[in-house]
Amino acid sequence: MMKRVAVLALFLQGCSPGGDSTPEAASESVAGTDDRPNILFIVADDLGFTDIGAFGGEIPTPSLDVLAQQGLRLSNLHAGPVCRATRLMLMSGASATAANEPNPDAYRGGQLSLNYATLAELLQDAGYATYISGKWDVGDLPGYTPEVRGFDRSFVLLEGAASHFARNYNGHFPFAEDGKKLTTADVPADFYTTRDFTDKLLEYLQSNADDQPWFAYLPYSAPHWPLQLPEDWLERHAGRYDDGYDALREARFERAMRAGVLPPGSTLDGFESVVEPWADLSPEEQRRYARAREIFAGMVEYLDMSVGRVIKYLETSGQLENTVVIFSADHGASISEAGVDTGRTTGLGSGGIGAPDSDNSLANFGRPGSFVNHGRGFGEAATAPFRDQKAALTEGGLRAAAFVYYPAAVAQGEVSNALITMMDILPTFLEIAGTEHPGAGTYRDGREINGIVGRSAWPLFTGASVQVHPPADSVGWSRGEGGALIRGDYKIINTAPLGEPGTTPWQLYDLATDPGERHNLAAERPDVVAELVAQWEANWR
């Protein structure tokens, strides 16, 4: 097979050097043999900031760890607060609110707006074969599904969550291939999402023409609830979490500090947990939470093993040596108490989530029919020292563990704390592919599209720049009546704490010294607050 530069944008992976991989060099060959980069983008769903080994975790993730430690780890990638918001941002290059159709609630429903050219469409325009295998979650109505939004082949979970096994979920089976809705009869009897998403992607890659670059998007639905594993993986982490989430939070923080992946100013001093101390839980509660966390750890390990299968294929097919890899989670750790909440904790999330015939008995945890998550205490342990977790616009909700691997052009063994957002993924991939966004105007199918607000991170990754967003640049989020904005080191936010309605007075934090958002500077710098709020109102609301 002819060697091409393969860019694996894995929100988790990649491999060895080879040849001139710059977009400029690649574009010179377009007229003849097309040796432009392939792009593989892998996303982990509901993964906490310290859940993989290279970011301080105890879960065995050797495939990811090698790539991360020999690549550039990113400690300041900001996503959306929930799954759909992140996917809207990365597919459109714009804010989730702007890219959602219809507005304004980009977090609970809607479709990826036709007023944006998708990342896949733009790479298709540039001559790429495009594949997706995994969670789509940005459109399940006719005209909004992957096969009409730029993907040549697609095998997807259309919605935000489902059983990882071949079971109907809320009355239907929300999977499709190449636009055809599937039933449980269309997949293997032993169907398991992580394995079958990997199998399908490998099938698509193996069918790709040798002389055509490809974009492969592998957004796993693991380790998103329901926490489920094949039977022979259920006991891999038995007993690992018996000491509970308080002990895990402390151990994770220490390892992450030693790994150098936490930003300057990170500390557990002043950290206020929102759950009861582990020691105050009953033995039954401890057993349920610890067991759920064991299964979560197994799902992360299984994901890592599956990514390793993709890497092995690229290696044996002669493509790995020309591969750029980026990995990222899609936001902070999950807070759901589904199936484990007994009423003593904050109760965020619903114990009733799942199919009507759910069996959330302890003996059935992780098996078909169980719909459980690990609870907020373990989610907090995977996000600390940042405040809050998934669904929040605080740093614990927005920061996602990520890395880039490509020894030919990307520094090895380093950590970058430069601000990056999910909106920057689209222009980054376009630059790698040697093309540009066409800008606002009439698109190829006659529809009117908007421009993008993201900036390419490729100069940062390759050492040509120390930043993606200059100090005067602002990035923002909107949710309900509230929102958040970051400009330079300053961040404003006015959303209420998780589980509470409404907004608060605007708060101001200096993320350069206080990434945990402990010290509100609003009273000291009302001028900065007023200036940033005006920017948020004008550009991000």
Side-chain angles (χ1 to χ4, degrees), residues 302-481:
Y302 195 103
L303 183 152
D304 179 84
M305 177 272 292
S306 300
V307 168
R309 293 177 55 207
V310 177
I311 299 304
K312 182 64 175 177
Y313 166 71
L314 294 175
E315 182 178 38
T316 58
S317 63
Q319 300 178 76
L320 184 56
E321 65 180 8
N322 294 323
T323 296
V324 179
V325 179
I326 301 174
F327 158 83
S328 176
D330 62 349
H331 44 61
S334 175
I335 61 172
S336 172
E337 299 283 341
V340 291
D341 184 15
T342 59
R344 298 190 72 250
T345 63
T346 57
L348 292 171
S350 169
I353 291 175
D357 62 346
S358 296
D359 176 4
N360 290 335
S361 63
L362 183 62
N364 198 52
F365 272 24
R367 294 184 167 91
S370 69
F371 280 77
V372 301
N373 206 349
H374 56 187
R376 191 169 184 185
F378 278 113
E380 184 180 82
T383 300
F386 306 119
R387 182 156 60 104
D388 295 327
Q389 303 108 46
K390 176 182 176 179
L393 295 182
T394 47
E395 292 299 283
L398 297 178
R399 289 212 191 206
F403 63 77
V404 187
Y405 174 87
Y406 184 51
V410 175
Q412 299 185 52
E414 295 188 6
V415 177
S416 172
N417 192 44
L419 175 66
I420 308 171
T421 78
M422 284 291 176
M423 295 178 287
D424 303 322
I425 296 298
L426 183 150
T428 300
F429 288 177
L430 295 186
E431 181 170 355
I432 291 169
T435 189
E436 296 180 352
H437 192 280
T442 303
Y443 192 48
R444 62 181 184 184
D445 52 5
R447 73 184 196 265
E448 293 297 314
I449 63 167
N450 299 317
I452 61 174
V453 298
R455 294 175 178 265
S456 174
W458 190 242
L460 174 73
F461 296 163
T462 58
S465 176
V466 296
Q467 62 188 11
V468 176
H469 295 273
D473 220 12
S474 69
V475 294
W477 297 260
S478 176
R479 187 167 192 183
E481 294 301 311

Side-chain angles (χ1 to χ4, degrees), residues 200-270:
K200 276 295 179 182
L201 186 69
L202 290 171
E203 175 187 322
Y204 297 159
L205 293 180
Q206 288 162 2
S207 69
N208 191 75
D210 284 356
D211 59 351
Q212 184 177 18
W214 47 260
F215 165 55
Y217 177 34
L218 183 56
Y220 286 114
S221 56
H224 191 290
W225 66 264
L227 304 184
Q228 296 171 331
L229 274 171
E231 189 73 24
D232 58 344
W233 278 68
L234 281 172
E235 301 305 321
R236 293 179 73 88
H237 297 276
R240 182 184 289 273
Y241 298 101
D242 289 353
D243 288 342
Y245 43 69
D246 293 328
L248 183 65
R249 182 174 65 245
E250 297 284 342
R252 285 280 188 89
F253 176 77
E254 292 300 324
R255 285 195 298 268
M257 285 293 289
R258 289 196 299 270
V261 295
L262 295 178
S266 295
T267 179
L268 286 182
D269 293 344

